[in-house]
Amino acid sequence: MRKIGPLVLLCLTVSFCFAEEFHISSKGIYFFEEKDVEWHINFNGKIPTSCGFYFILFDANGKALYCDAIPSGDYSENPYTITIPRDNITGCYKGVIVGKESVSDALSLPLSDLKYEVYGGDYFAASYKGKMYFQVRKEDTYVLGAYKGHLKVLNEKGETIADTRETKKQEKYDNLTEFSGQRGINYILQIDCRYFRVKNNNPIFLSNIAEKLFIPDEKIDSIEWWKIPLSTKEDR
Amino acid sequence: MKKIVITILLFSGFILNGAIINPRIHYVEWEQLSNDLKFNVALEKEEFSNLDREARIVFAAEKGKAIKSLDEISIKCRISSMETSSAIFEKEMPAEKGIIVFDFELEDLSPGNYKVSGEVKHAGKILKTEEKIFRYVKEDPPANRGKIPLFFSAGVPLKEPFPVSFGIPFPKGALWDEKNVRIVDRKGNEIPCQKTVRSRWGYSSKSSIRWLGIDFQPQELKPDWMNKTQTNYFVEFGPQIKPASFSGIKIEETPEFYNVDTGKAKFVIRKKAWNLIDSVSLKGNEVFKNSPDQGFYLIDHQGGIYRACNDREVKVEIEEKGPLKTVFRVEGWYVKDDTEGNTISYRLPTDKLCKFITRIEVYSGKPYVRILHTIVFTFDSYAVRLKDIALSLFSSAGKNIFFGIENESPFKTDLQKDGSVYLIQHLPDRFSIESSDGKIIREGKHSQGWFALEKMDNTIIGINHRETWQRFPKEFEVTSDSIKLHIWPLHGKNHPEINEIEPQEIYKLWFAHRGRELNLAMPWKYFFKAAEMYNGPQTGVYTAPGLVLAGIHSSILGAALTSDILISFSDKNEGIEKQKELSDCFQVLPHCLPDPQWTCDSLAVGYISPYSPDRFKQIEDCIEKLVKGYRELQDYTGQYGMWIYRTWHHTSYKGDRTFDLYRFFNATHHYEAFMPWLLYVRSGDPFYLEQARANTRLFSDLNIIHYDDASCERRELHFNQKNITGSTRHTNGFCPWGGDHALLGHLTCYNALMLAHYLTGDLRLKEIITDEWQKTIVSDRKNPEFQGAVRLEPGRDNNNALGELIDLYQMTYNPALLVYIDDCLKKFLTNMYHWGQPLHNVLLFYKSQQAKRQLMDGMADPKSDKLNLWYTHSSHENYALAAIYETDRNKQIEYASKAFFSSDIYAWSSKADRLKNKESFGAFCAVSDFVLYMPRVILALSKANVEDPTQGSYSQSLPGCPGATYCIVKEEKDRDFNIFIRGEIGKKESGGFPMVVMDPDKKTILEVVVDKPYSKFTIPKDGKTGEYVITLAMRDGKDDLYAPLTDLEKEVYYVNYWFQCTETRFFTRPTTDTGETIGIQPHVSSAYIISNKTNQLIASTEKGEKIEIEMPPEGVWINSKARYMHLKQPLILSNDENHWFLPESIKGLEFKVKWKW
């Protein structure tokens, strides 16, 4: 046992060091501020694009809290931080990253220091092999497609409730499967594909940490964020 | 293992006794990429003739992963006669470098078929075999002597001869030695000329000449391309031609300098610390002495200065040498002051920032030099900005400054003491002459592109820059000790009044054309504007906002910018007028062409016909309106600037000076870049030359990648590609230098650069083809980006590449290309999806029997299209090629006619009118799908001797009326007349339709079932005049015929509803003098009713609503795209006003189907 102890410790250390980092590209990053606090968004990672990326943060009323280009750089050691001051407002915020998919691959998640943070939409790119958790906004049949790969959905008991390998249904390059989604349930998602999507524009909201899950206000998804006036400080 | 193979070979006695060919065998390095063993026996072409003299066969092996080394395999080659089965050559050889090249003479071969077999052997086992068959034929040589007139496209009044460089093609077997060529004037006097072989009809120096470059200095420059009866100069060739020798440029080379004596001036060019021109002497007096720190330089946004003269490793060499013109090529880096020049980085700090390739052309008897300066950007758009890109020459003791202004006398001003005076063309229609204290001295519209400094000793230095306002911003500056051309201005202006993201402005890329600094990073607001315009933030590659986002992610790294400059030196008292005259000439840059008929007959540009406006007016008008209309639209919408001048667009013009932004900056997705050169070479029209030159410069500079920096991690937004040298940009970045790219694929058009080089002698274009594109595909195959840029999927990607590779091979004769050609050809023959020039090149140059057979089989049965022959935007190309190759006279006529009609000429004529009128216009990419092959269609019609199928009138879809279409014609005088059945019969199933012809006495004189397209029925002279009624029971969706139907002058169609197969434009007028109400309703489509008197729109519908109008007595035009047209009342339609008449016979005609309004 004396000999095994250090080995176990070594294994744990190694597995911790090589634990897979969670990155995902989604249509929106949703934050929930329970109490009015100063909170932060930290972009942590090496941005691979020379143009950087554009970040827009807005609330459910369409008010922009941040709207500017994040320049290219290596923020692995010192994150690029956005501070959102206390403002007597709480609730849901949505952030959108405009840029190359590789930016999302580079950014460490979660971005914020808030308790709740999910990545939502009907189209995702991820190379993550670990478990992801998600919730659905409304009760419906959810058809998931794995692009040139496979995925499966498990319920809270860990039972597989949808599996593209079992369903064996295809739509162009997507392997499809479906399940009946219900609010309030933390579903588990395991993917073996780079891209996956939810058909019929039904969004799901996911995270690799179940405790971070929440369902964002539906109103926030109706905001046409690309029409929010830009505050880019491009000095030309 | 290698030793074993060689030993086996040595003892195998592998050379066959009695071999009758004795090839020269050599080996070429072939990078091993394939995971599996791969073997090609590749022919240069399938048919050789005595005019080829020599032939080439290539055996290429890729060992695959299972075999460790190429040393372990051998290749057994055998060539045998198919007639006798006897081998004429047999040998086994080690694979060595991967490619074994057999070059052999043909003269010992008997005409016939020969089989070439290859076997790959490893450890005594045959692993792979391949066979090919080639033919050897005898053909009559073309005339080996001749006198070809030369025509100038644009004229310039000349007091002195001006250097002209042009290219002339020769048919295979016509000219074997360039020495047997000269230029004579119309009196027969020989004019000195310099000749350069630009391409041969084969790889060997014994092959006949395909393209010959000629330099000469004409005294007269009249634009005679339209009037080809009075030309001043001729090219004479033939074995009897022995041009007189003459002396010209003299060059003395020392370790430090090139001393050039043009006869009029002496130029000294440094070989080290290159400062462009070190000194100039005229008549023994030094009129210019440069200082060592002058020449080209640039300044980064931190103020660092990088100079060409700082490059210690600069290469200055003679690239083309001759008595009339010599070209120096200088290649190096801009190196930062006070650095060692050791570091290269795409961001600051760096010792070296941007490469340059500069060509200095010196001319016999001339006191000026032309400079073609190419800067290759080696920085990332987001890392570096530039404050200045300039050429500076030392100059002291200045007296007067002259700025050339378009349509005005030169503007003269004084030199400011300790300051500078500069002209800045800061907008395409605005320049300003200012002093360094900010005072505006003069403003105006267009600089003429030159400025000059008159010195105290009355000598003059002039700098000329071509297309200055078109390529704004530019600046000409004179300081107390220098004269400078700023390729990017030092005193740039911001123009905040221009909202750069307005829909009318966003495509002009203002961010790259204004401001104090050259900042090539596209602002993010462009994406948000596009998202707003397209109502969504799509980022995909098939969306406009997505492509704008790709523009933001693009980088200038790897793109280039070429400036065309002429620097002149005048002796004392020569005056500024001479400078102005020189500038006029330089702006035009005179060029001449051989008689287009000669060029077309030579087949060097393939199967095309000369410009034939007399015989094929409709086609020629349509081509002209489309291509010129496109350019006029660019002018109208103000698309000028150094980064966008004369690009091609892919998608549509939406009217009101707005365009669809999707694929807006198209490089040459549909082979567009070749189009203006093709149209120029067959006409001589200076418009096409100007368009072609500017587009090719933009294409070759910005759409092709010239440099890569492995340390730069940036990748394109879509497809994730990094740079690879020689690759062509696709349509997918909202700027000319952005987006994905390919070395081989459907999106390339290197052939445009090749033809441009042949015609103009532009060495930069050749360099891009050979030293960038070819070099990468032949010897950089292991580059990690290679596989992603070689898109040889079956279909358009493979097939366009095949056409391009055949053209490339004829330029460079690099044997490795034959391996690609062989691979591509195999795929092409199983999937003939047309894109670019593959079928044409495979037929004409490769001479594939199988391709020809498949084409002809496809003609017989287009419906069972298993080979994708008809999966094309340009079916007229198939028909035209079939007509050219068809030997059966009737079929030839049929195919030529089908080529004409399948081109959709009427619809294009209508679209061309819209474009000329600046109305909204559909996808521009389709223009080249139509235009590129029309010269071939004309050739097919000419070869088939088909009368103009339009008979002087627009031909369009004949209106089909359910049950029966009544076509009523009127014979004024008794005569034979013809009914032409043109179009498709039984489109979806066989069988025909009944046709009945009644004479003026209502007697049936013809009753037939029409079941053959392109047939003719003659109604003989019958002693009667008056109306004949032709009743055609055409079937909707099956029979598509074209009007007019007869060769009579009066012909109308009586309908109460009609269906049609293309967009049409019919004339009609009231049947009474007082006018009448008419109503039309196109089926879910647009229609326009246009006044015949004013040409104004009377009524229209976009989506098929009913339109009712009071028809004026002079009649109206009904334009409609609709497949079906409902009518309130029957109409009498005709193709035009002249054909229309009011037939009496309609009283007795009834419609079989009645329609409710």
Side-chain angles (χ1 to χ4, degrees):
Chain A
M1 190 63 195
R2 220 179 284 166
K3 286 179 184 173
I4 295 171
L7 191 64
V8 169
L9 195 63
L10 179 69
C11 289
L12 284 171
T13 312
V14 168
S15 66
F16 177 75
C17 290
F18 291 93
E20 190 187 4
E21 270 213 51
F22 178 57
H23 306 281
I24 195 160
S25 172
S26 64
K27 285 189 173 175
I29 303 160
Y30 300 82
F31 310 95
F32 191 78
E33 186 186 8
E34 273 186 310
K35 292 177 186 173
D36 184 30
V37 291
E38 176 184 290
W39 58 286
H40 306 90
I41 292 175
N42 296 305
F43 294 112
N44 201 315
K46 188 179 178 187
I47 308 303
T49 52
S50 53
C51 60
F53 62 95
Y54 209 92
F55 186 68
I56 302 162
L57 180 71
F58 52 95
D59 65 18
N61 296 317
K63 183 193 164 197
L65 286 87
Y66 190 87
C67 187
D68 208 344
I70 312 294
S72 184
D74 187 349
Y75 305 120
S76 307
E77 301 294 324
N78 299 303
Y80 189 101
T81 300
I82 298 168
T83 301
I84 295 94
R86 287 178 66 158
D87 54 2
N88 294 323
I89 298 170
T90 57
C92 179
Y93 299 90
K94 182 175 179 180
V96 176
I97 288 175
V98 182
K100 204 164 187 289
E101 207 172 87
S102 57
V103 168
S104 297
D105 288 340
L107 292 174
S108 297
L109 297 175
L111 288 180
S112 74
D113 47 14
L114 291 177
K115 187 176 174 188
Y116 298 103
E117 177 176 319
V118 290
Y119 316 102
D122 58 358
Y123 178 78
F124 301 87
S127 304
Y128 188 64
K129 297 295 171 216
K131 280 182 183 173
M132 288 182 274
Y133 303 88
F134 70 92
Q135 292 190 359
V136 299
R137 185 180 265 153
K138 61 180 181 186
E139 290 186 7
D140 204 343
T141 299
Y142 284 77
V143 181
L144 302 183
Y147 177 80
K148 292 183 179 176
H150 290 281
L151 59 77
K152 65 179 175 182
V153 178
L154 296 84
N155 62 17
E156 286 173 314
K157 295 176 194 165
E159 297 161 343
T160 300
I161 55 170
D163 187 344
T164 54
R165 284 190 175 87
E166 297 295 320
T167 311
K168 292 180 179 168
K169 201 171 158 188
Q170 277 189 312
E171 188 181 280
K172 207 170 180 187
Y173 298 115
D174 287 352
N175 291 306
L176 303 181
T177 189
E178 62 182 62
F179 69 100
S180 179
Q182 292 181 348
R183 267 187 84 107
I185 294 180
N186 286 357
Y187 293 101
I188 299 165
L189 177 68
Q190 289 184 324
I191 59 166
D192 185 14
C193 59
R194 167 69 178 157
Y195 303 102
F196 61 98
R197 66 174 76 231
V198 191
K199 304 286 171 182
N200 308 326
N201 302 320
N202 258 348
I204 61 173
F205 301 92
L206 57 78
S207 171
N208 62 327
I209 303 164
E211 291 73 26
K212 291 261 172 199
L213 292 183
F214 77 102
I215 296 297
D217 185 347
E218 195 165 0
K219 199 175 144 193
I220 206 162
D221 282 333
S222 63
I223 307 285
E224 293 180 322
W225 52 264
W226 58 94
K227 293 181 181 171
I228 292 173
L230 309 183
S231 55
T232 308
K233 303 174 205 70
E234 287 175 284
D235 180 15
R236 304 189 77 80
Chain B
M1 192 64 196
K2 185 180 182 182
K3 281 180 185 170
I4 297 168
V5 171
I6 292 171
T7 312
I8 292 168
L9 295 180
L10 283 172
F11 288 96
S12 62
F14 42 75
I15 300 178
L16 187 85
N17 288 330
I20 58 168
I21 63 167
N22 184 23
R24 297 183 302 282
I25 298 171
H26 56 106
Y27 297 87
V28 173
E29 190 79 42
W30 191 229
E31 286 176 295
Q32 303 287 297
L33 287 190
S34 177
N35 290 334
D36 304 317
L37 177 69
K38 185 170 174 291
F39 182 51
N40 293 77
V41 174
L43 302 174
E44 200 177 22
K45 52 190 159 188
E46 219 174 87
E47 182 181 290
F48 298 96
S49 84
N50 49 312
L51 300 181
D52 288 307
R53 291 192 178 171
E54 296 205 5
R56 171 176 283 169
I57 300 167
V58 156
F59 299 85
E62 287 192 63
K63 62 180 180 54
K65 288 201 169 160
I67 297 170
K68 282 183 184 167
S69 164
L70 270 175
D71 296 339
E72 295 175 24
I73 59 177
S74 64
I75 294 172
K76 186 177 177 186
C77 319
R78 186 174 193 269
I79 305 173
S80 59
S81 161
M82 299 274 285
E83 277 74 20
T84 64
S85 298
S86 57
I88 58 170
F89 180 83
E90 195 165 0
K91 189 172 182 178
E92 189 171 333
M93 291 162 287
E96 280 209 10
K97 297 176 180 175
I99 290 180
I100 306 172
V101 185
F102 278 40
D103 290 343
F104 57 97
E105 294 187 3
L106 288 159
E107 62 183 358
D108 296 328
L109 287 189
S110 306
N113 295 320
Y114 294 86
K115 187 195 284 182
V116 184
S117 319
E119 292 173 352
V120 181
K121 289 184 168 180
H122 178 257
K125 285 185 184 168
I126 298 171
L127 299 184
K128 239 179 172 60
T129 62
E130 180 152 305
E131 285 183 358
K132 288 278 158 51
I133 292 167
F134 73 83
R135 304 180 296 283
Y136 179 57
V137 298
K138 294 277 185 190
E139 61 179 323
D140 294 333
N144 68 349
R145 61 194 68 203
K147 187 174 179 181
I148 306 130
L150 295 174
F151 299 105
F152 282 89
S153 50
V156 183
L158 279 182
K159 289 182 185 154
E160 284 186 9
F162 190 84
V164 169
S165 187
F166 72 99
I168 177 169
F170 289 88
K172 184 161 62 172
L175 176 69
W176 302 88
D177 190 337
E178 72 273 22
K179 287 179 188 147
N180 300 126
V181 176
R182 66 174 187 168
I183 289 187
V184 293
D185 65 16
R186 62 174 176 266
K187 292 175 186 162
N189 300 318
E190 186 178 331
I191 309 293
C193 70
Q194 175 177 320
K195 291 154 288 186
T196 311
V197 177
R198 292 187 184 141
S199 163
R200 290 183 181 271
W201 283 100
Y203 64 83
S204 157
S205 57
K206 292 179 184 170
S207 305
S208 68
I209 291 168
R210 183 165 165 254
W211 279 100
L212 185 69
I214 299 182
D215 286 276
F216 77 123
Q217 297 187 0
Q219 177 71 53
E220 288 185 77
L221 268 174
K222 289 181 185 163
D224 45 16
W225 71 276
M226 281 291 276
N227 176 12
K228 294 192 169 64
T229 53
Q230 284 193 335
T231 181
N232 288 319
Y233 299 100
F234 299 84
V235 170
E236 278 189 348
F237 76 100
Q240 81 288 3
I241 300 293
K242 309 282 183 209
S245 60
F246 62 97
S247 61
I249 300 166
K250 292 181 185 129
I251 297 171
E252 178 193 79
E253 186 178 354
T254 72
E256 299 291 321
F257 302 104
Y258 285 107
N259 296 309
V260 184
D261 185 352
T262 70
K264 178 79 184 247
K266 287 184 178 173
F267 297 95
V268 176
I269 298 169
R270 282 174 179 253
K271 292 168 80 176
K272 291 170 187 169
W274 177 72
N275 59 351
L276 185 61
I277 297 163
D278 195 59
S279 69
V280 181
S281 302
L282 299 174
K283 295 178 187 168
N285 298 321
E286 188 173 87
V287 295
F288 170 75
K289 176 64 187 169
N290 214 356
S291 60
D293 59 347
Q294 300 290 315
F296 287 98
Y297 69 92
L298 48 87
I299 303 176
D300 71 30
H301 63 272
Q302 294 178 353
I305 301 176
Y306 304 76
R307 298 178 203 274
C309 63
N310 288 342
D311 188 358
R312 294 172 191 167
E313 288 155 15
V314 69
K315 278 192 277 182
V316 184
E317 55 201 10
I318 294 174
E319 188 174 23
E320 202 171 276
K321 189 175 183 180
L324 276 184
K325 182 179 87 175
T326 288
V327 184
F328 293 88
R329 183 181 182 279
V330 189
E331 182 178 359
W333 283 82
Y334 288 87
V335 176
K336 195 173 182 182
D337 283 355
D338 307 319
T339 67
E340 294 297 310
N342 292 333
T343 63
I344 299 172
S345 173
Y346 64 92
R347 58 188 168 199
L348 303 183
T350 176
D351 290 358
K352 292 181 173 178
L353 188 69
C354 299
K355 290 177 75 173
F356 64 84
I357 298 143
T358 306
R359 289 184 165 80
I360 306 171
E361 295 182 0
V362 297
Y363 309 104
S364 173
K366 300 300 169 197
Y368 48 78
V369 291
R370 183 183 176 198
I371 313 286
L372 276 159
H373 177 72
T374 302
I375 173 170
V376 178
F377 297 97
T378 63
F379 61 80
D380 184 73
S381 302
Y382 287 86
V384 178
R385 303 183 300 278
L386 296 179
K387 287 172 184 273
D388 196 3
I389 308 173
L391 156 65
S392 178
L393 299 174
F394 178 77
S395 176
S396 61
K399 186 170 70 178
N400 293 312
I401 305 165
F402 295 89
F403 292 106
I405 296 170
E406 244 180 41
N407 306 317
E408 287 186 29
S409 300
F411 180 79
K412 183 178 167 185
T413 185
D414 301 331
L415 190 63
Q416 304 282 306
K417 194 183 176 188
D418 300 327
S420 69
V421 177
Y422 53 88
L423 179 149
I424 177 162
Q425 183 81 46
H426 52 95
L427 288 176
D429 58 355
R430 216 178 308 164
F431 72 78
S432 177
I433 299 173
E434 301 172 6
S435 56
S436 51
D437 57 7
K439 188 179 144 198
I440 294 173
I441 300 168
R442 166 80 203 266
E443 288 183 305
K445 193 174 176 186
H446 289 157
S447 156
Q448 205 192 1
W450 67 271
F451 68 121
L453 176 70
E454 186 180 28
K455 297 204 282 187
M456 291 297 183
D457 61 1
N458 295 329
T459 59
I460 296 172
I461 304 176
I463 298 184
N464 304 262
H465 175 269
R466 285 196 75 234
E467 295 168 332
T468 295
W469 59 266
Q470 296 92 329
R471 296 174 188 275
F472 84 100
K474 293 284 171 281
E475 181 181 330
F476 304 143
E477 186 186 23
V478 180
T479 71
S480 56
D481 62 358
S482 64
I483 171 166
K484 294 181 178 184
L485 161 68
H486 296 278
I487 296 163
W488 177 262
L490 182 65
H491 301 93
K493 295 189 186 294
N494 275 319
H495 291 291
E497 75 279 9
I498 296 168
N499 182 351
E500 64 180 310
I501 56 168
E502 280 300 297
Q504 287 85 355
E505 302 293 338
I506 190 168
Y507 52 84
K508 298 179 193 171
L509 307 186
W510 281 103
F511 67 90
H513 291 100
R514 66 176 178 183
R516 296 300 291 236
E517 290 181 347
L518 173 59
N519 182 347
L520 289 154
M522 185 181 289
W524 282 96
K525 61 185 172 185
Y526 278 57
F527 168 73
F528 290 93
K529 185 65 185 182
E532 181 195 312
M533 287 166 69
Y534 288 84
N535 204 27
Q538 304 92 339
T539 57
V541 73
Y542 298 111
T543 66
L547 298 193
V548 177
L549 191 60
I552 292 166
H553 283 75
S554 69
S555 176
I556 199 66
L557 191 150
L561 185 71
T562 299
S563 301
D564 199 351
I565 303 160
L566 189 128
I567 304 176
S568 62
F569 303 88
S570 305
D571 208 350
K572 292 174 187 175
N573 306 320
E574 280 191 313
I576 203 67
E577 280 309 310
K578 195 166 180 179
Q579 167 58 43
K580 188 177 181 317
E581 183 191 318
L582 184 63
S583 175
D584 285 341
C585 222
F586 182 57
Q587 292 298 332
V588 171
L589 206 60
H591 190 257
C592 68
L593 281 179
D595 183 356
Q597 186 68 55
W598 169 264
T599 300
C600 296
D601 290 346
S602 77
L603 294 183
V605 197
Y607 291 123
I608 55 166
S609 84
Y611 176 59
S612 316
D614 298 335
R615 193 165 173 206
F616 298 100
K617 188 172 188 315
Q618 186 185 14
I619 300 177
E620 298 293 6
D621 280 356
C622 187
I623 292 171
E624 277 188 65
K625 278 184 193 171
L626 281 169
V627 183
K628 293 183 180 178
Y630 173 82
R631 159 143 164 194
E632 286 164 14
L633 184 67
Q634 285 200 316
D635 292 340
Y636 171 72
T637 51
Q639 292 181 54
Y640 299 108
M642 61 193 284
W643 305 104
I644 63 168
Y645 184 53
R646 299 297 175 226
T647 181
W648 288 109
H649 306 320
H650 180 90
T651 41
S652 56
Y653 176 61
K654 295 158 83 174
D656 191 26
R657 292 183 164 85
T658 62
F659 289 85
D660 186 353
L661 304 185
Y662 177 66
R663 296 185 165 189
F664 184 76
F665 289 106
N666 168 28
T668 180
H669 188 215
H670 288 236
Y671 229 65
E672 290 94 336
F674 184 69
M675 185 167 57
W677 289 111
L678 176 74
L679 299 177
Y680 172 59
V681 82
R682 62 185 290 272
S683 68
D685 186 337
F687 162 81
Y688 297 124
L689 174 64
E690 201 184 322
Q691 174 73 27
R693 274 176 172 159
N695 175 254
T696 296
R697 191 63 74 199
L698 180 134
F699 173 49
S700 60
D701 274 351
L702 296 175
N703 299 145
I704 292 178
I705 298 166
H706 308 288
Y707 176 77
D708 181 26
D709 182 337
S711 70
C712 182
E713 291 176 5
R714 191 203 66 88
R715 290 178 177 274
E716 301 301 331
L717 177 68
H718 302 117
F719 306 110
N720 215 32
Q721 286 178 292
K722 283 181 82 173
N723 277 6
I724 183 167
T725 300
S727 201
T728 298
R729 296 281 180 195
H730 198 188
T731 55
N732 299 329
F734 187 60
C735 57
W737 57 86
D740 62 306
H741 51 85
L743 291 157
L744 295 168
H746 74 277
L747 51 126
T748 72
C749 186
Y750 298 99
N751 194 19
L753 274 58
M754 291 185 241
L755 183 55
H757 166 71
Y758 294 143
L759 289 171
T760 66
D762 189 316
L763 292 167
R764 173 66 188 150
L765 303 180
K766 184 186 175 194
E767 179 174 80
I768 291 168
I769 294 295
T770 57
D771 297 358
E772 296 183 2
W773 179 45
Q774 179 180 269
K775 190 176 172 188
T776 298
I777 61 174
V778 166
S779 52
D780 196 17
R781 288 155 38 93
K782 288 188 173 170
N783 186 313
E785 293 304 308
F786 182 80
Q787 298 284 17
V790 172
R791 305 180 187 178
L792 292 178
E793 291 298 309
R796 63 179 185 167
D797 282 308
N798 176 78
N799 299 351
N800 185 61
L802 174 61
E804 294 263 87
L805 288 161
I806 292 173
D807 288 320
L808 175 62
Y809 183 72
Q810 293 181 98
M811 182 184 230
T812 65
Y813 292 100
N814 186 313
L817 298 173
L818 296 179
V819 186
Y820 282 110
I821 290 172
D822 188 50
D823 285 339
C824 290
L825 183 63
K826 283 171 188 158
K827 285 187 238 175
F828 174 71
L829 291 171
T830 58
N831 182 344
M832 300 174 81
Y833 182 176
H834 173 263
W835 204 277
Q837 306 272 349
L839 181 57
H840 171 267
N841 286 2
V842 165
L843 292 173
L844 176 60
F845 300 122
Y846 190 86
K847 297 191 180 294
S848 163
Q849 286 279 51
Q850 189 182 338
K852 185 174 158 187
R853 191 172 59 247
Q854 290 178 182
L855 171 69
M856 293 312 187
D857 290 349
M859 292 298 118
D861 188 10
K863 285 161 202 153
S864 61
D865 183 23
K866 291 174 187 159
L867 296 168
N868 278 349
L869 178 68
W870 296 103
Y871 189 53
T872 171
H873 298 297
S874 314
S875 52
H876 49 305
E877 162 81 335
N878 287 345
Y879 284 123
L881 284 168
I884 289 164
Y885 279 96
E886 181 57 65
T887 51
D888 178 283
R889 176 89 190 115
N890 288 332
K891 283 185 178 173
Q892 189 180 47
I893 292 168
E894 180 189 332
Y895 298 157
S897 301
K898 281 183 171 177
F900 176 83
F901 288 108
S902 68
S903 72
D904 221 359
I905 181 77
Y906 175 71
W908 277 111
S909 299
S910 169
K911 287 179 193 173
D913 284 338
R914 286 209 302 274
L915 185 60
K916 284 289 276 184
N917 294 332
K918 317 285 183 295
E919 295 170 35
S920 61
F921 187 84
F924 291 111
C925 63
V927 171
S928 52
D929 292 335
F930 166 74
V931 168
L932 274 172
Y933 311 105
M934 291 315 285
R936 197 118 68 228
V937 172
I938 295 176
L939 181 70
L941 291 166
S942 304
K943 272 184 172 268
N945 207 16
V946 172
E947 295 162 29
D948 183 350
T950 65
Q951 300 166 61
S953 171
Y954 274 149
S955 182
Q956 55 180 331
S957 182
L958 185 76
C961 197
T965 298
Y966 297 116
C967 170
I968 306 153
V969 294
K970 194 169 175 183
E971 198 181 287
E972 307 277 3
K973 285 182 187 172
D974 187 26
R975 50 166 281 196
D976 291 351
F977 74 89
N978 296 304
I979 300 171
F980 299 101
I981 302 296
R982 299 170 307 199
E984 293 200 47
I985 311 291
K987 198 186 246 177
K988 291 174 187 161
E989 61 189 58
S990 58
F993 64 84
M995 178 174 78
V996 178
V997 181
M998 288 197 301
D999 73 6
D1001 298 333
K1002 309 225 171 359
K1003 185 179 152 196
T1004 298
I1005 53 171
L1006 180 70
E1007 194 165 2
V1008 293
V1009 171
V1010 178
D1011 57 1
K1012 282 184 191 154
Y1014 304 96
S1015 46
K1016 185 170 84 173
F1017 299 91
T1018 301
I1019 307 298
K1021 199 172 169 183
D1022 55 3
K1024 298 174 190 173
T1025 57
E1027 294 175 12
Y1028 291 74
V1029 178
I1030 306 164
T1031 307
L1032 306 118
M1034 287 158 57
R1035 300 160 297 177
D1036 180 20
K1038 292 176 185 166
D1039 308 317
D1040 290 337
L1041 295 193
Y1042 287 88
L1045 199 63
T1046 71
D1047 49 11
L1048 289 174
E1049 282 179 17
K1050 298 294 178 192
E1051 175 176 321
V1052 294
Y1053 320 105
Y1054 181 52
V1055 294
N1056 70 341
Y1057 173 101
W1058 88 78
F1059 58 82
Q1060 59 187 16
C1061 57
T1062 62
E1063 184 176 351
T1064 57
R1065 181 175 188 260
F1066 285 109
F1067 176 78
T1068 188
R1069 66 172 12 141
T1071 52
T1072 64
D1073 294 339
T1074 53
E1076 65 189 58
T1077 303
I1078 61 164
I1080 63 168
Q1081 183 179 24
H1083 179 67
V1084 202
S1085 189
S1086 62
Y1088 309 91
I1089 300 178
I1090 294 157
S1091 161
N1092 184 37
K1093 191 175 180 182
T1094 64
N1095 217 20
Q1096 298 293 309
L1097 186 69
I1098 297 174
S1100 68
T1101 171
E1102 288 298 325
K1103 292 181 181 169
E1105 294 85 3
K1106 285 179 181 173
I1107 323 176
E1108 289 189 47
I1109 63 152
E1110 193 67 32
M1111 183 159 54
E1114 67 272 11
V1116 295
W1117 291 92
I1118 300 172
N1119 290 24
S1120 173
K1121 288 181 179 176
R1123 181 81 179 83
Y1124 305 103
M1125 182 73 83
H1126 287 265
L1127 301 177
K1128 186 180 179 186
Q1129 68 303 299
L1131 283 176
I1132 299 161
L1133 305 171
S1134 65
N1135 256 16
D1136 56 39
E1137 194 175 358
N1138 295 331
H1139 277 87
W1140 199 91
F1141 72 103
L1142 178 58
E1144 289 182 8
S1145 349
I1146 58 169
K1147 288 170 193 163
L1149 300 178
E1150 284 199 4
F1151 293 106
K1152 296 200 174 159
V1153 184
K1154 310 284 185 198
W1155 301 90
K1156 281 184 183 173
W1157 178 245

